[in-house]
Amino acid sequence: MTYRRAVIPALVGSLLFTVLLWWAGASAQALRLRGANRVFDAQSMSELRLWLAPWSYDGFADPAAGGGTAPSGGSEYAGLYATAMQIRFASVFAFFLAGALILVRRIPPTRGRTLATVLGLWAWAPMAGMLAVTVSAPWLIASYGHGSFRVLPRLASVVVSSGPVTLLAGLATALVTVLVAWATTKGAAPAPRQSVPPRAARLAASVGTAVIAVSLVILSYQSVAAWIQTSFDGGGLLSEPGELLRAWLLLGSWTSPAGTPLGDWLLYRAADAIVLAVVWWVLRLLPGLLTRTTVPAMAVGGVCATVLALLAGRVVRIAFDDAFTVRGPVSLITQLDAGVPAALTFGLAAGTAALVTLRLAGSRDRGEASGSTADSGVPVADSPRSEE
């Protein structure tokens, strides 16, 4: 798909996503209305406030201060908070537009690709929200009047606070964006499909999955994670970077089965295995879905694959959680957006590593295929084929 055709659905999706988040933030006032506690229990009310607070101009609480309320006095603080929110909404529009433009152009919603386009746009939505929250974090922290206190831990708290509302808004946005993209592709020439040697695709997916496993299996182990958080001491404004490193490096958290029944421990490790399996499967299919395997497309695809895998793992964990009937669905859905910052770090690395491996292995396969064809006159099974 050309940029001219892709920019229309990308703009529509970005505008819709921004409007939905703004509407969600503006609706936060409804939780203060009399009678709202009759619909939701106290815990669900608290969780919903955390969902909507990052996108509300009211600012229920400072997520980086453990729930402390914003200062009521001082026009300079109110101005900083308003500036932070303006930057946040402008950034979420820009970040979603950038990702949607790449996804819609390289994975147009044609036959055989529509579901992949929807899932890719949906996975990119929480990433765009997290990036927007990160960009606006300095203004938000300063607006609470103590911006020089524990800067990095407070920044880590803000970064992970985009909320699962981006998942809900992202799903609706992905569907609408694909419908618009489908309308703009009517009458266009069929998008070509990449011909990828199966062996090269499997090897590339394995390398990308190994990159994700570094975070999920090695860095997320309790002792390693504790070392990451406590071994970097500094001084002044940039002290205590451990919490920020945890946010950007850890896709999960696990420990040995000491004190835990082995069966329960294995069930939760099965959820981690599902994460790796989903990453491998998406990276295996991704090169064949792309109209062209470029660095931006594979990098964004790696990020989306990681986010989708984390969602699958979290859903499996919820199915294993006996506390579902006690804590309620709102509390459990809150956990679905965990690990998004680390998904950016390792998703970009996984997509890039998969692309490098794909090109190296693909070149070797093409060389072997040419040699076999020249010797026997019969093309080998793994040789690339052009598909219209």
Side-chain angles (χ1 to χ4, degrees), residues 134-166:
T134 303
V135 169
S136 62
W139 288 268
L140 183 70
I141 293 174
S143 70
Y144 288 98
H146 38 78
S148 61
F149 175 68
R150 290 172 54 85
V151 174
L152 296 183
R154 291 167 56 78
L155 179 59
S157 299
V158 173
V159 165
V160 299
S161 66
S162 58
V165 67
T166 55

Side-chain angles (χ1 to χ4, degrees), residues 8 16 25-26 37 45 64 67 87 103 105 130 153 156 164 166 177 226 242 285-286 313-314 319 337 346 364:
I8 297 175
L16 177 61
N37 55 355
M45 289 275 287
I87 293 173
L103 290 170
R105 183 167 186 253
M130 184 276 297
T166 55
T177 303
L285 297 178
L286 181 61
R314 292 291 173 179
D337 68 330
F346 287 91
R364 183 182 62 190

Side-chain angles (χ1 to χ4, degrees), residues 2-377:
T2 62
Y3 275 115
R4 182 177 60 85
R5 291 180 180 273
V7 72
I8 297 175
L11 282 172
V12 171
S14 302
L15 181 61
L16 177 61
F17 187 57
T18 306
V19 169
L20 287 176
L21 291 178
W22 175 85
W23 173 77
S27 301
Q29 294 181 356
L31 297 177
R32 297 180 176 178
L33 297 177
R34 184 177 302 174
N37 55 355
R38 299 177 184 176
V39 180
F40 302 102
D41 56 68
Q43 183 175 353
S44 296
M45 289 275 287
S46 177
E47 297 286 348
L48 288 173
R49 284 171 176 160
L50 290 176
W51 285 23
L52 304 179
W55 308 101
S56 173
Y57 273 87
D58 290 340
F60 276 106
D62 176 6
T69 58
S72 57
S75 59
E76 65 276 13
Y77 293 142
L80 280 172
Y81 188 86
T83 301
M85 297 307 298
Q86 292 167 4
I87 293 173
R88 182 165 296 184
F89 282 108
S91 298
V92 79
F93 176 86
F95 283 123
F96 190 87
L97 175 63
L101 189 59
I102 294 173
L103 290 170
V104 173
R105 183 167 186 253
R106 294 304 178 194
I107 313 179
T110 55
R111 187 175 61 180
R113 287 189 174 112
T114 303
L115 180 59
T117 310
V118 172
L119 292 177
L121 291 169
W122 183 34
W124 182 252
M127 190 59 61
M130 184 276 297
L131 290 171
V133 167
T134 303
V135 169
S136 62
W139 288 268
L140 183 70
I141 293 174
S143 70
Y144 288 98
H146 38 78
S148 61
F149 175 68
R150 290 172 54 85
V151 174
L152 296 183
R154 291 167 56 78
L155 179 59
S157 299
V158 173
V159 165
V160 299
S161 66
S162 58
V165 67
T166 55
L167 283 171
L168 303 179
L171 181 58
T173 301
L175 295 173
V176 173
T177 303
V178 166
L179 287 176
V180 177
W182 180 78
T184 59
T185 56
K186 293 185 66 176
R193 295 183 68 92
Q194 286 287 95
S195 181
V196 183
R199 182 172 57 181
R202 289 192 294 267
L203 181 59
S206 300
V207 172
T209 305
V211 173
I212 300 299
V214 170
S215 173
L216 189 65
V217 178
I218 299 175
L219 300 183
S220 295
Y221 186 63
Q222 187 179 50
S223 59
V224 180
W227 179 85
I228 292 174
Q229 186 168 5
T230 59
S231 295
F232 299 91
D233 292 329
L237 296 179
L238 300 181
S239 62
E240 303 178 9
E243 294 183 31
L244 188 60
L245 288 174
R246 281 177 59 94
W248 290 100
L249 296 179
L250 271 61
L251 284 168
S253 176
W254 67 283
T255 184
S256 58
T260 303
L262 181 61
D264 293 343
W265 184 84
L266 290 175
L267 284 177
Y268 282 101
R269 299 292 69 76
D272 294 335
I274 288 175
V275 172
L276 296 177
V278 172
V279 169
W280 188 91
W281 184 250
V282 175
L283 291 180
R284 167 66 179 83
L285 297 178
L286 181 61
L289 293 171
L290 296 173
T291 57
R292 184 182 177 188
T293 52
T294 61
V295 174
M298 287 295 292
V300 172
V303 171
C304 294
T306 309
V307 174
L308 289 173
L310 289 176
L311 284 172
R314 292 291 173 179
V315 170
V316 172
R317 284 177 179 267
I318 289 175
F320 295 158
D321 200 334
D322 295 333
F324 182 85
T325 57
V326 177
R327 296 190 301 183
V330 174
S331 179
L332 295 176
I333 293 174
T334 303
Q335 306 173 23
L336 291 180
D337 68 330
V340 172
L344 176 66
T345 304
F346 287 91
L348 289 175
T352 305
L355 176 61
V356 172
T357 306
L358 184 66
R359 289 183 174 176
L360 293 176
S363 299
R364 183 182 62 190
D365 285 352
R366 283 192 294 270
E368 294 177 355
S370 299
S372 300
T373 304
D375 293 339
S376 63

